[in-house]
Amino acid sequence: MELLRSIGVKFRTVNTAVGQEPDPKRWEKALKAKPKPKLLIVTSTLSNPSGATLKEEWRLMLVEICRKAGVPILEDDIYGDLLGRARPKPMRAFDDGSTVLYVTSFSKTVAPGLRIGFALPGKWMDQAADWQCRQTIHGGVPPEYVAAAFLRSGRMESHLEMLQSVYAKRRELALGILSRELPEGVRVEDPKGGYMLWVRGGRAQGMDQVAKQCLEQGVAVVGGGIFFAEPPKEACFRLNCARATPEDLARGVGIFCRVLKVVLARTGGRKNRTLA
Amino acid sequence: MELLRSIGVKFRTVNTAVGQEPDPKRWEKALKAKPKPKLLIVTSTLSNPSGATLKEEWRLMLVEICRKAGVPILEDDIYGDLLGRARPKPMRAFDDGSTVLYVTSFSKTVAPGLRIGFALPGKWMDQAADWQCRQTIHGGVPPEYVAAAFLRSGRMESHLEMLQSVYAKRRELALGILSRELPEGVRVEDPKGGYMLWVRGGRAQGMDQVAKQCLEQGVAVVGGGIFFAEPPKEACFRLNCARATPEDLARGVGIFCRVLKVVLARTGGRKNRTLA
């Protein structure tokens, strides 16, 4: 988003949240507003940062709405493999190649250091190949070789199951602490996959203060402001549970909750209206 | 150039050619013209496609002219390592970090498949790191590992000497045939390094025709039009001698000369004024 904004791209956003049904009318309205959007970017599964996964029935609907409106969808499925068996079909599966440009990566599953992924560009195949060629000719051969060898080894499935199981335990641990320790009016939903938790509630003004004080105590949480095109109306934080040991994670989440309580009490967050 | 043009960047060009002394007045004029240039891009050694290498005394001058004009230089040194001992110091060596942003790559020396290089961004260090981070976070780890292992092995120097010697033989072979077979008014200079030869002369209209007919006979030459911001005033071709065996190279250059003769005779190229 930062990169696109720096070359002058303007954004309009449609809210998503775990458990929230998308409102077709809002989608249609956003697509019809002037100036007409050139592209809809959707992280369809375990969206960053909300963790929301679009239900399969809504995927079909959204593809149809966009096809009718003539607005292409860039479906970013980078977290899809982390959802396991509950994973819905990608939006690309409901398309004939006219509307959805699918991209994904091995960065969140095999290794971030590979810096490779793949795309199913649909009718933009030639254009995508042309752009790839102009930008870098092609990706690095050693990472492609490594990824190909790993995929051929047949170990991808069990590797994903391992990741799913490890991340589920981390989420469960963190969610348990959060459910007990979060101040009133602040909430978190279980995204049912991945390693990110999205905590929301309290006055947005306290957000940077919380992130700063946490960092001073050795805990890095991402203040949610950077994920929005417009400043958010309430405080929100993304907690990453991927790498910390269970002990560090428990300690870190505890610190986060205590800092949040103190800062929110100071900024009057507990009296703040909770936004749905 | 294509990539930059596609996002709306406008170009102004300053001619370079093997053996041609740069004219400081032309550089100054180009830098002062309105709208003021934001950046001067220079392939200082074995420039693609002309093969021209800027003499060391002119490097200092150009850095000073640009510093005074407040126009940063992007020095692309991707072919520098192919020149061997005769290689001048990069323009970056004549700068204090205020004017020259130096970039290079291992693509033309170690292996194109690595897709890695490095930059000395001078005063733009933080900005460059920020952009790298926004675009790809970082490069691929496996290629960096391979490149680091190769550099650590101490074999880079002898590898470069081998490349220089192989390419010198290829150039000599191709230049020998060209000197005998090129039609009147068409010329080629020895760039003294690298694997590219830049052939110029005859009417620009014949250019695409020559490239097309060569390709029909299994010889790929690049019609020079793509290297210019404005259509060139005479025909020009880039011959790549890097990969063909000596036998294939000799056969290919022969085919190119014959096609050129036929097409130029047809388009009246021999009567065309030779442009310096």
Side-chain angles (χ1 to χ4, degrees):
Chain A
M1 202 150 87
E2 275 178 87
L3 184 64
L4 291 172
R5 186 177 283 137
S6 72
I7 57 167
V9 173
K10 300 256 189 309
F11 290 93
R12 201 172 300 152
T13 53
V14 181
N15 282 336
T16 55
V18 171
Q20 181 184 294
E21 298 284 278
D23 179 349
K25 287 203 188 97
R26 279 169 85 179
W27 288 103
E28 274 170 1
K29 200 180 147 199
L31 293 173
K32 273 177 190 159
K34 305 276 169 191
K36 192 184 162 183
K38 290 201 173 65
L39 183 68
L40 175 67
I41 303 178
V42 183
T43 305
S44 47
T45 298
L46 298 173
S47 182
N48 180 15
S50 75
T53 294
L54 208 57
K55 279 188 192 167
E56 215 163 278
E57 64 217 73
W58 295 107
R59 295 180 179 224
L60 174 63
M61 181 200 78
L62 195 49
V63 171
E64 302 251 292
I65 290 177
C66 281
R67 186 187 295 133
K68 271 179 206 149
V71 176
I73 298 171
L74 178 70
E75 180 182 22
D76 181 357
D77 199 25
I78 193 169
Y79 301 104
D81 278 329
L82 297 180
L83 199 58
R85 296 185 199 286
R87 178 186 190 175
K89 281 184 195 157
M91 296 169 83
R92 180 66 182 83
F94 301 99
D95 181 40
D96 56 4
S98 72
T99 304
V100 180
L101 199 165
Y102 177 95
V103 295
T104 188
S105 154
F106 298 112
S107 290
K108 307 298 179 188
T109 50
V110 181
L114 291 177
R115 311 313 301 153
I116 56 167
F118 59 89
L120 301 173
K123 72 172 177 188
W124 297 276
M125 185 64 202
D126 290 345
Q127 227 171 315
D130 192 45
W131 272 83
Q132 164 80 61
C133 206
R134 284 193 215 179
Q135 287 203 293
T136 61
I137 314 286
H138 54 76
V141 172
E144 288 180 2
Y145 187 85
V146 170
F150 183 68
L151 292 175
R152 239 184 266 114
S153 77
R155 277 177 289 177
M156 182 68 163
E157 281 306 309
S158 60
H159 175 71
L160 289 177
E161 278 162 24
M162 182 274 288
L163 285 181
Q164 287 152 22
S165 144
V166 168
Y167 292 153
K169 279 177 204 149
R170 300 274 164 88
R171 289 198 314 276
E172 198 184 346
L173 174 65
L175 285 166
I177 300 167
L178 290 166
S179 69
R180 291 191 301 275
E181 308 285 341
L182 275 182
E184 203 190 315
V186 181
R187 61 216 184 282
V188 62
E189 258 101 8
D190 183 1
K192 305 265 164 55
Y195 48 82
M196 242 99 85
L197 295 175
W198 183 232
V199 176
R200 291 183 302 158
R203 289 206 180 164
Q205 291 92 311
M207 201 157 50
D208 293 344
Q209 190 65 11
V210 171
K212 191 168 160 274
Q213 287 189 21
C214 281
L215 199 60
E216 283 165 5
Q217 296 185 53
V219 179
V221 303
V222 180
I226 62 159
F227 300 112
F228 292 86
E230 306 289 329
K233 285 172 186 146
E234 60 180 344
C236 41
F237 305 91
R238 195 188 69 180
L239 312 188
N240 185 328
C241 314
R243 293 193 57 191
T245 61
E247 294 72 30
D248 282 350
L249 183 61
R251 213 164 55 88
V253 174
I255 290 171
F256 167 68
C257 289
R258 283 193 295 280
V259 168
L260 196 59
K261 243 175 247 174
V262 173
V263 174
L264 286 195
R266 208 184 298 144
T267 57
R270 265 181 287 187
K271 286 163 203 153
N272 196 37
R273 185 173 60 97
T274 299
L275 299 163
Chain B
M1 201 150 88
E2 273 178 89
L3 184 64
L4 291 172
R5 187 177 283 138
S6 71
I7 58 167
V9 174
K10 300 256 189 310
F11 291 94
R12 201 172 301 151
T13 53
V14 181
N15 281 336
T16 56
V18 171
Q20 181 184 294
E21 299 285 279
D23 179 349
K25 288 203 187 98
R26 278 170 85 178
W27 287 102
E28 274 171 1
K29 199 181 147 198
L31 293 173
K32 274 179 191 156
K34 303 278 170 191
K36 191 186 162 182
K38 289 201 175 63
L39 183 69
L40 174 67
I41 303 178
V42 183
T43 305
S44 47
T45 298
L46 297 174
S47 182
N48 180 14
S50 75
T53 295
L54 208 58
K55 279 188 192 167
E56 216 163 277
E57 62 215 76
W58 296 107
R59 295 182 181 223
L60 173 62
M61 181 202 76
L62 196 49
V63 171
E64 303 253 291
I65 289 176
C66 282
R67 185 188 294 133
K68 272 179 208 151
V71 177
I73 298 172
L74 178 69
E75 180 181 23
D76 182 357
D77 198 25
I78 193 167
Y79 300 105
D81 278 330
L82 296 180
L83 198 58
R85 297 186 199 284
R87 179 187 189 176
K89 282 184 193 156
M91 296 169 83
R92 180 68 181 82
F94 302 99
D95 181 39
D96 56 4
S98 72
T99 305
V100 180
L101 200 165
Y102 177 94
V103 295
T104 188
S105 155
F106 298 112
S107 289
K108 308 298 179 187
T109 50
V110 180
L114 291 177
R115 312 312 303 152
I116 55 167
F118 60 89
L120 301 174
K123 71 172 177 186
W124 298 274
M125 185 64 202
D126 290 346
Q127 227 171 315
D130 192 45
W131 271 83
Q132 164 79 62
C133 205
R134 286 193 214 178
Q135 286 203 293
T136 60
I137 314 284
H138 54 75
V141 172
E144 288 179 1
Y145 186 86
V146 170
F150 184 69
L151 292 176
R152 240 184 265 115
S153 77
R155 275 178 289 176
M156 184 67 164
E157 282 306 309
S158 60
H159 175 70
L160 290 177
E161 279 163 22
M162 180 274 288
L163 285 181
Q164 287 152 21
S165 142
V166 168
Y167 291 153
K169 278 178 204 148
R170 300 275 163 88
R171 289 197 315 276
E172 197 184 347
L173 174 66
L175 285 167
I177 300 166
L178 289 167
S179 70
R180 290 189 303 272
E181 308 284 343
L182 276 182
E184 202 190 315
V186 182
R187 63 218 182 282
V188 62
E189 258 99 9
D190 182 1
K192 304 266 164 56
Y195 48 82
M196 242 99 84
L197 295 175
W198 183 233
V199 176
R200 291 183 301 158
R203 289 206 180 166
Q205 291 91 311
M207 201 156 52
D208 293 344
Q209 190 65 10
V210 171
K212 191 168 161 274
Q213 287 190 22
C214 281
L215 199 60
E216 284 165 5
Q217 296 185 53
V219 178
V221 302
V222 179
I226 62 159
F227 299 111
F228 292 87
E230 305 289 329
K233 285 172 187 144
E234 60 179 346
C236 41
F237 306 91
R238 196 189 69 180
L239 312 189
N240 185 329
C241 314
R243 292 192 59 190
T245 60
E247 295 70 31
D248 282 349
L249 183 61
R251 215 164 54 87
V253 174
I255 290 171
F256 167 68
C257 289
R258 282 192 296 279
V259 168
L260 196 60
K261 244 176 246 174
V262 173
V263 174
L264 286 195
R266 209 184 297 144
T267 56
R270 265 181 286 187
K271 286 164 205 153
N272 196 37
R273 184 172 61 95
T274 299
L275 298 163

